[in-house]
Amino acid sequence: MKLRWKIAIGVAVLAIAGLGYAGNYFYDYAVVPSEKDFLEGDTPGTDENQTGSEAQNWFTDAANREMWQLTSEDDLKLSAIYLPAEEKNQGKTAIIAHGYMGNAETMADYAKMYHDLGYNVLVPDARGHGQSEGDYIGFGWHERKDYLQWIDEILAKNGSEETITLYGISMGAATVMMTSGEDLPKNVTSIIEDCGYTNVNEELGYQLDQLFGLPAFPLMNVTSLVTKIRAGYFFGEA
């Protein structure tokens, strides 16, 4: 084999190995639930520093809440906080979705807003967040199936005539948008998305440029492939 071919093959092997390493690095950086140094505390639906506010005091009072759990289709134990309306038989429930690397405990203000309007309120921890199991973030794609189960849970416990509003902020907004594409029962009468992203590829590509000054191609493509292998979905699905 001529030297130039050996060099070309060596360069190609190194490039593939480098891209594989980069794909796994960015998967761990963005998709694995962990403390994120790039979050500045102003991401909607992630701020837990609300101690002392009226909403937070009400929200954390054990007398006002119940803990619900269910098992996802892929056998994860999922958790949610349920806050029943003060007046019984209101017949309406709001299910509230938090943002990226937030959790149910960050949603006191939103829960209080709906509760004051007479709703029962259910605030799930997304998979991989808070008290819910999971070793990856689905960016709303896998979570949409979990929300179908939470809807069924509401109907099972509150009755088949319950009306349901889905509300989500940031990644939670993307979650309820993706849930809207499923076969929903007629009980879901409104879906409110607050500052969700258009799709995962654009969101993560933007962050890749802002944080690292790197182009989306080919790193996003490689990271998406790694995500398919490790978490079961391509970014393009979301």
Side-chain angles (χ1 to χ4, degrees), residues 91 148 151-152 155 159-166 182-191:
L148 293 179
I151 290 168
D152 288 343
L155 298 178
S160 60
E161 298 305 311
E162 190 84 353
T163 62
I164 295 172
T165 288
L166 304 181
E182 299 301 309
D183 184 16
L184 298 176
K186 61 180 177 59
N187 307 75
V188 179
T189 57
S190 56
I191 300 174

Side-chain angles (χ1 to χ4, degrees), residues 49-218:
N49 299 317
Q50 306 172 62
T51 305
S53 72
E54 178 185 355
Q56 188 70 12
N57 290 339
W58 164 81
F59 189 71
T60 56
D61 188 337
N64 296 329
R65 56 159 66 183
E66 304 168 11
M67 298 305 297
W68 286 14
Q69 286 193 324
L70 58 75
T71 301
S72 70
E73 292 180 353
D74 51 349
D75 208 32
L76 297 176
K77 297 294 186 295
L78 304 179
S79 176
I81 299 169
Y82 179 71
L83 305 109
E86 290 183 1
E87 296 184 30
K88 302 300 182 184
N89 302 318
Q90 291 291 302
K92 57 184 183 180
T93 297
I95 306 179
I96 297 177
H98 62 75
Y100 178 79
M101 289 315 303
N103 56 59
E105 299 290 355
T106 66
M107 301 302 286
D109 288 339
Y110 303 94
K112 185 72 162 57
M113 177 180 69
Y114 278 98
H115 193 267
D116 287 349
L117 292 171
Y119 286 83
N120 305 301
V121 178
L122 183 71
V123 194
D125 280 324
R127 54 176 57 211
H129 296 71
Q131 301 303 308
S132 290
E133 294 180 345
D135 58 6
Y136 69 85
I137 300 166
F139 291 99
W141 183 239
H142 285 185
E143 290 83 351
R144 82 196 194 284
K145 294 291 189 180
D146 303 334
Y147 269 70
L148 293 179
Q149 291 186 254
W150 287 120
I151 290 168
D152 288 343
E153 193 76 2
I154 287 290
L155 298 178
K157 292 185 175 182
N158 290 3
S160 60
E161 298 305 311
E162 190 84 353
T163 62
I164 295 172
T165 288
L166 304 181
Y167 170 88
I169 190 166
S170 192
M171 190 184 79
T175 299
V176 299
M177 279 194 287
M178 294 179 201
T179 304
S180 76
E182 299 301 309
D183 184 16
L184 298 176
K186 61 180 177 59
N187 307 75
V188 179
T189 57
S190 56
I191 300 174
I192 302 169
E193 76 87 15
D194 186 345
C195 66
Y197 45 78
T198 53
N199 58 64
V200 173
N201 272 319
E202 288 188 14
E203 174 69 12
L204 295 185
Y206 172 81
Q207 296 296 339
L208 189 64
D209 175 61
Q210 293 295 303
L211 295 171
F212 298 96
L214 294 173
F217 181 82

